[in-house]
């Protein structure tokens, strides 16, 4: 009888080591997946904001001498109006938690329902002073900004 008990003890130790190893591997996989998801979300978030702010910078810098950049308010939010030499206007604006852009004839007037959704953000602010445009956008609690010189000046 003592021999049966001894055999059970001999089998119990390797089995416990295997079970502990299995739980550690599962925990490591879960931790690694969460860590990867956080890095991926942060990378996507920063890429999205950087690309859009560079897009605005390029759009404003490419305004020719005949075009102009102005601001207006719509529903309490800032709207960037970029008029080109062909009397078309690009409106970049914040509406219902998203950033939108629309390109249309200046004679049509502005309607926030006409735009194409560009980006989902928390807030958007713009300030125009002395040939400089300050664009700020808030996403996931962080503000990003870009200062652009109008007509190619920085």
């Amino acid at each position: 009888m003592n021999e049966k008990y001894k055999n059970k003890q001999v089998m119990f130790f390797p089995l416990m080591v295997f079970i502990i190893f299995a739980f550690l591997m599962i925990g490591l996989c879960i931790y690694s997946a969460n860590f990867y998801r956080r890095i991926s979300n942060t990378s996507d978030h920063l890429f999205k904001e950087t690309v859009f702010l560079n897009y605005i910078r390029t759009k404003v810098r490419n305004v020719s001498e005949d075009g102009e950049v102005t601001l207006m308010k719509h529903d309490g939010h800032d709207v960037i109006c970029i008029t080109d030499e062909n009397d078309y206007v690009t409106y970049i604006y914040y509406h219902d938690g998203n950033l939108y852009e629309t390109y249309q004839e200046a004679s049509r007037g502005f309607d926030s329902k006409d735009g194409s959704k560009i980006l989902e953000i928390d807030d958007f602010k713009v300030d125009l002073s002395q040939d400089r445009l300050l664009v700020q956008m808030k996403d996931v609690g962080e503000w990003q900004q870009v200062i652009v010189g109008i007509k190619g000046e920085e």
Side-chain angles (χ1 to χ4, degrees), residues 16-66:
M16 285 307 294
V17 169
F18 177 75
I19 290 172
I20 290 171
F21 178 74
F23 278 119
L24 287 174
M25 294 286 49
I26 291 170
L28 182 63
C29 287
I30 291 170
Y31 175 77
S32 298
N34 288 335
F35 185 72
Y36 175 77
R37 186 172 17 103
R38 282 192 308 261
I39 288 174
S40 179
N41 289 343
T42 302
S43 176
D44 290 346
H45 164 74
L46 291 175
F47 176 76
K48 184 172 61 169
E49 285 183 355
T50 303
V51 166
F52 180 71
L53 290 173
N54 285 332
Y55 172 75
I56 289 179
R57 175 182 288 155
T58 303
K59 200 97 161 127
V60 170
R61 281 186 174 170
N62 287 334
V63 173
S64 68
E65 292 298 319
D66 297 334

Side-chain angles (χ1 to χ4, degrees), residues 59-91:
K59 200 97 161 127
V60 170
R61 281 186 174 170
N62 287 334
V63 173
S64 68
E65 292 298 319
D66 297 334
E68 70 174 330
V69 177
T70 58
L71 293 181
M72 66 182 233
K73 289 276 191 188
H74 180 74
D75 291 337
H77 296 286
D78 299 323
V79 178
I80 302 173
C81 309
I82 304 171
T83 308
D84 64 19
E85 65 274 358
N86 299 322
D87 205 28
Y88 276 81
V89 180
T90 300
Y91 297 105

Side-chain angles (χ1 to χ4, degrees), residues 110-139:
F110 175 72
D111 186 6
S112 62
K113 295 180 178 102
D114 291 341
S116 301
K117 180 180 167 184
I118 298 174
L119 190 61
E120 192 173 309
I121 60 172
D122 296 335
D123 202 359
F124 180 69
K125 295 180 184 178
V126 183
D127 184 38
L128 178 64
S129 62
Q130 299 177 356
D131 292 335
R132 298 219 186 261
L133 184 70
L134 171 65
V135 180
Q136 298 175 313
M137 59 187 286
K138 182 179 182 183
D139 193 19

